[in-house]
Amino acid sequence: MAGRIEIDLFSTLDGVMQAPGGPEEDPSGGFAFGGWQAPMNDEAVGGQVIEGIRRMDALLLGRRTYDIFAAYWPNQLVGDGGVENEIAAAFDAIPKYVASRGEPELPWRDSHLLGPDLPSEIDALRERHREVHVIGSIDFARTLVAAGLFDQLNLWVYPIVLGAGKRLFPVDGPAMRLEPLSSSTVSDDGTLLLRYGPTGEVPATGDMT
């Protein structure tokens, strides 16, 4: 098996990816716009997200996102009226892999701590699973992208500008080139879904003349 590592991120037009889901998700650095995605979400975006969740057979998360997910999703398995929550059930059913510099407790069912050799761990996940998704986990996603340890970046870009906040691509690099895989407009409000893959190339320079 040659599985894939896909990274799913929600971004503003100016590249801010911090705390899209809720006000208290990540207030570090005095971030004042936690939950910025919620007023802009719609059925079209939700449908694309659900399609990705249905395909994945493992989750790969940074420690902060794991803690948020583990505190929320296991309590959402049954929704109003006793109806199963599809997202909660999908997350609960698949293995969860966690990257952390410490040795945290991992109470969520079928959760596993990655070892310190990240390239080897990623290779092992590709052998073990068909499609592994990284959701959120911006600091961890930055590490994966910088090292080229991913197969596809799924980037939902919303038409909003927030200024300061955490970004996938820091101002101090590294330099890299990405291969566009596809793009589509998924919202009447102008939200874009952009898909990129790594090329392993450093951007070339030249003279426009």
Side-chain angles (χ1 to χ4, degrees), residues 140-189:
F140 179 50
R142 185 183 296 172
T143 298
L144 292 174
V145 170
L149 296 175
F150 74 104
D151 299 287
Q152 185 166 312
L153 171 63
N154 302 313
L155 189 61
W156 281 264
V157 181
Y158 288 76
I160 182 174
V161 174
L162 296 180
K166 292 182 179 180
R167 289 168 164 82
L168 181 63
F169 304 105
V171 295
D172 56 353
M176 67 182 68
R177 182 176 179 179
L178 298 174
E179 175 188 9
L181 301 177
S182 66
S183 64
S184 59
T185 302
V186 297
S187 167
D188 291 339
D189 291 334

Side-chain angles (χ1 to χ4, degrees), residues 87-143:
I87 297 176
F91 286 167
D92 193 65
I94 61 178
K96 277 73 68 175
Y97 299 94
V98 185
S100 175
R101 295 183 179 90
E103 297 183 359
E105 294 185 5
L106 304 176
W108 199 0
R109 187 174 75 87
D110 207 358
S111 295
H112 311 273
L113 184 65
L114 295 183
D117 186 347
L118 189 57
S120 294
E121 294 284 1
I122 295 299
D123 286 344
L125 291 179
R126 287 194 175 108
E127 290 299 318
R128 194 177 302 140
H129 296 286
R130 180 188 68 256
E131 189 168 314
V132 182
H133 281 236
V134 181
I135 299 179
S137 309
I138 180 63
D139 294 329
F140 179 50
R142 185 183 296 172
T143 298

Side-chain angles (χ1 to χ4, degrees), residues 48-56 86-87 90-91 133 135:
Q48 291 278 356
V49 171
I50 287 290
E51 284 184 19
I53 291 172
R54 288 170 177 165
R55 292 195 310 270
M56 69 178 70
E86 182 177 2
I87 297 176
F91 286 167
H133 281 236
I135 299 179

Side-chain angles (χ1 to χ4, degrees), residues 13-53:
L13 195 59
D14 59 339
V16 174
M17 301 179 185
Q18 187 171 356
E24 305 302 323
E25 181 180 337
D26 182 9
S28 61
F31 188 68
F33 297 104
W36 58 265
Q37 179 196 9
M40 307 182 70
N41 212 9
D42 62 19
E43 290 185 3
V45 173
Q48 291 278 356
V49 171
I50 287 290
E51 284 184 19
I53 291 172

